[in-house]
């Protein structure tokens, strides 16, 4: 497996398509277009999640891998009298991480308007100390639209209304040294990994013994992504989502991270052991870790009644839900673990 350019292409393509939770239609078009090219069968659930399936040669028992295409974002909460727009958050941002960020308002009739998220006291020359002391909470922010609008009516005339989706600039950057810096590596680094795995399966004519499902989840950031439409044959559910490197953590940006416990409790002991075994056997560089403020799509599936063993693996993403960073090594080790696990 040495095709890092293809991995990067998938990653950059997917990162360039805005997909806040509730607005994932365009990114799904990209994914189904790739699945069509590869000749892989897939179907959509009523809630919009997508499952791609590779039939097993010996058993219909399924291993289901999930990754989520939805990201953090925002929604227009109020068109204000000053011609600016207040927002409500989609998912868990730290407000300072999007302060001063460029954004796009997506209207329901498919127009797009650019703007910038600013605080309501954005200039040091006007607001002085107040600008610094302002509490960084959502109600103290507004979008300054890049149009000549001065009143609520001006904004309404553009077609902007309450409930319109707001996406933030990802500022995606790939460095010479192999780092990827971008918003929404959670979980688009995993989505790109899975697209690469699908490509690898087709290119190398791999027929796994067990049926492999790839579940592309679309409501993960709000907690119920995989609560429905999990394939009935699922015996093992492996969420592919970001690991958390940082202070007091064992995860890194260079290994595949395997989570042993998160906010919802321990992951399946035996399945975790099987994944570790595959890593050891194939010299895949891995790290075990515990995540203190984390809930994955595995928990959503379990809480909806799924009866399967479950685990969580993925690339290590630094500064999650902020301006994130990972390294290609972490993505490659994640891909190697998935490929080796399904080829066993
Ligand atoms: Zn995630």
């Amino acid at each position: 497996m040495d095709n890092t350019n293809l991995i990067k292409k998938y990653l950059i393509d997917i990162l360039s398509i805005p997909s806040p939770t509730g607005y994932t239609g365009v990114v799904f078009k990209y994914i189904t277009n790739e699945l069509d090219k590869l000749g892989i069968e897939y179907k959509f659930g009523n809630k919009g999640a997508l499952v791609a399936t590779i039939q097993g040669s010996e058993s219909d028992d399924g291993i289901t891998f999930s990754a989520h295409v939805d990201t953090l974002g925002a929604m227009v909460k109020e068109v204000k009298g000053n011609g600016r727009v207040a927002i409500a958050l989609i998912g868990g941002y730290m407000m300072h991480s999007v302060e001063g960020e460029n954004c796009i308002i997506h209207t329901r009739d498919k127009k797009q308007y650019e703007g910038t998220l600013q605080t309501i006291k954005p200039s040091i020359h006007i607001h002085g100390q107040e600008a610094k002391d302002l509490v960084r909470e959502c109600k103290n922010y507004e979008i300054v639209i890049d149009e000549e609008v001065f009143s609520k009516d001006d904004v309404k005339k553009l077609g902007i209304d309450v409930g319109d989706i707001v996406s933030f600039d990802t500022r995606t950057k790939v460095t010479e040294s192999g780092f990827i810096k971008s918003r929404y590596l959670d979980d688009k680094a995993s989505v790109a990994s899975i697209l690469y795995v699908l490509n690898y399966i087709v290119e190398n004519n791999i027929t796994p013994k067990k049926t492999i499902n790839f579940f592309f989840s679309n409501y993960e950031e709000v907690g119920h992504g995989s609560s429905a439409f999990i394939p009935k044959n699922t015996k093992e559910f492996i969420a592919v989502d970001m690991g958390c490197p940082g202070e007091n953590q064992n995860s890194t940006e260079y290994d595949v991270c395997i989570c042993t416990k998160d906010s919802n409790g321990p992951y399946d002991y035996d399945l975790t052991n099987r994944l570790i075994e595959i890593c050891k056997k194939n010299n895949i560089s891995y790290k075990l870790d515990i995540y203190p403020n984390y809930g994955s799509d595995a928990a959503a599936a379990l809480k909806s009644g799924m009866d399967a063993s479950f685990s969580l693996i993925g690339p290590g993403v630094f500064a999650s839900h902020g301006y994130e960073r990972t390294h290609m090594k972490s993505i490659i080790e994640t891909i190697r673990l998935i490929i080796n696990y399904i080829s066993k």
Side-chain angles (χ1 to χ4, degrees):
M1 205 217 64
D2 51 7
N3 202 344
T4 51
N5 284 339
L6 182 59
I7 302 169
K8 277 183 200 161
K9 181 194 170 335
Y10 282 143
L11 185 53
I12 291 164
D13 283 357
I14 295 167
L15 286 168
S16 74
I17 303 170
S19 60
T21 311
Y23 191 70
T24 49
V26 182
V27 75
F28 272 130
K29 259 192 202 121
Y30 175 87
I31 292 170
T32 52
N33 188 38
E34 293 305 310
L35 296 175
D36 286 336
K37 279 196 250 170
L38 293 168
I40 290 169
E41 55 178 282
Y42 58 85
K43 56 188 179 181
F44 279 103
N46 296 320
K47 203 173 85 177
L50 170 72
V51 173
T53 300
I54 311 279
Q55 286 302 328
S57 60
E58 290 180 13
S59 164
D60 191 42
D61 279 1
I63 304 172
T64 299
F65 292 87
S66 75
H68 63 92
V69 301
D70 63 313
T71 72
L72 306 179
M75 212 177 241
V76 172
K77 184 177 178 300
E78 181 195 355
V79 179
K80 296 166 74 168
N82 61 4
R84 298 183 192 138
V85 156
I87 59 164
L89 297 179
I90 296 173
Y93 270 118
M94 301 162 284
M95 286 312 299
H96 57 83
S97 79
V98 274
E99 187 171 320
E101 189 59 278
N102 289 319
C103 58
I104 297 172
I105 300 171
H106 305 259
T107 71
R108 285 185 189 269
D109 55 5
K110 296 193 165 41
K111 286 190 209 122
Q112 297 187 352
Y113 294 101
E114 292 187 38
T116 307
L117 188 70
Q118 300 279 15
T119 74
I120 52 172
K121 296 183 188 296
S123 170
I124 198 75
H125 298 98
I126 301 169
H127 309 289
Q129 192 62 33
E130 271 187 290
K132 294 183 188 175
D133 292 345
L134 189 72
V135 179
R136 264 48 187 178
E137 57 191 6
C138 195
K139 67 176 174 51
N140 288 335
Y141 287 81
E142 60 191 8
I143 295 173
V144 181
I145 306 166
D146 298 328
E147 299 287 334
E148 294 186 31
V149 286
F150 308 97
S151 68
K152 198 171 190 159
D153 270 359
D154 290 346
V155 177
K156 293 253 175 183
K157 270 184 211 143
L158 295 176
I160 292 172
D161 205 347
V162 172
D164 285 348
I165 292 285
V166 176
S167 64
F168 292 99
D169 194 339
T170 59
R171 287 193 283 138
T172 303
K173 195 169 166 59
V174 181
T175 72
E176 292 273 312
S177 49
F179 288 98
I180 300 117
K181 302 194 286 183
S182 181
R183 293 184 189 284
Y184 316 138
L185 291 171
D186 167 20
D187 189 24
K188 289 184 168 176
S190 305
V191 174
S193 301
I194 283 180
L195 282 181
Y196 182 82
V197 168
L198 285 161
N199 190 285
Y200 186 92
I201 290 171
V202 171
E203 295 271 293
N204 293 278
N205 275 316
I206 293 171
T207 310
K209 287 181 193 154
K210 291 179 179 171
T211 295
I212 312 294
N213 307 301
F214 294 95
F215 182 91
F216 295 92
S217 171
N218 60 336
Y219 279 93
E220 195 276 348
E221 290 292 0
V222 294
H224 62 82
S226 58
S227 64
F229 203 54
I230 299 296
K232 291 210 166 42
N233 63 1
T234 302
K235 297 286 186 284
E236 294 178 348
F237 183 93
I238 301 175
V240 187
D241 208 337
M242 46 152 284
C244 312
E247 197 181 18
N248 301 327
Q249 294 297 123
N250 197 39
S251 302
T252 78
E253 294 161 81
Y254 313 102
D255 307 287
V256 55
C257 306
I258 302 176
C259 180
T260 56
K261 177 184 170 319
D262 69 11
S263 304
N264 293 297
Y267 281 83
D268 185 273
Y269 195 78
D270 293 328
L271 177 54
T272 303
N273 281 346
R274 289 196 287 281
L275 291 162
I276 293 169
E277 218 173 280
I278 292 290
C279 289
K280 284 183 175 163
K281 220 169 101 185
N282 299 282
N283 290 319
I284 296 164
S285 185
Y286 73 97
K287 286 283 190 303
L288 300 173
D289 210 354
I290 294 171
Y291 301 139
N293 300 292
Y294 197 113
S296 75
D297 250 344
L302 292 162
K303 284 174 183 169
S304 72
M306 178 186 75
D307 179 29
S309 61
F310 55 99
S311 68
L312 168 63
I313 64 170
V317 171
F318 184 72
S320 52
H321 286 194
Y323 184 48
E324 301 168 344
R325 190 182 83 158
T326 193
H327 195 280
M328 280 304 290
K329 284 182 181 171
S330 199
I331 296 176
I332 289 168
E333 295 306 277
T334 301
I335 289 170
R336 290 183 63 221
L337 175 53
I338 299 170
I339 289 172
N340 282 285
Y341 194 74
I342 64 183
S343 321
K344 72 179 163 54

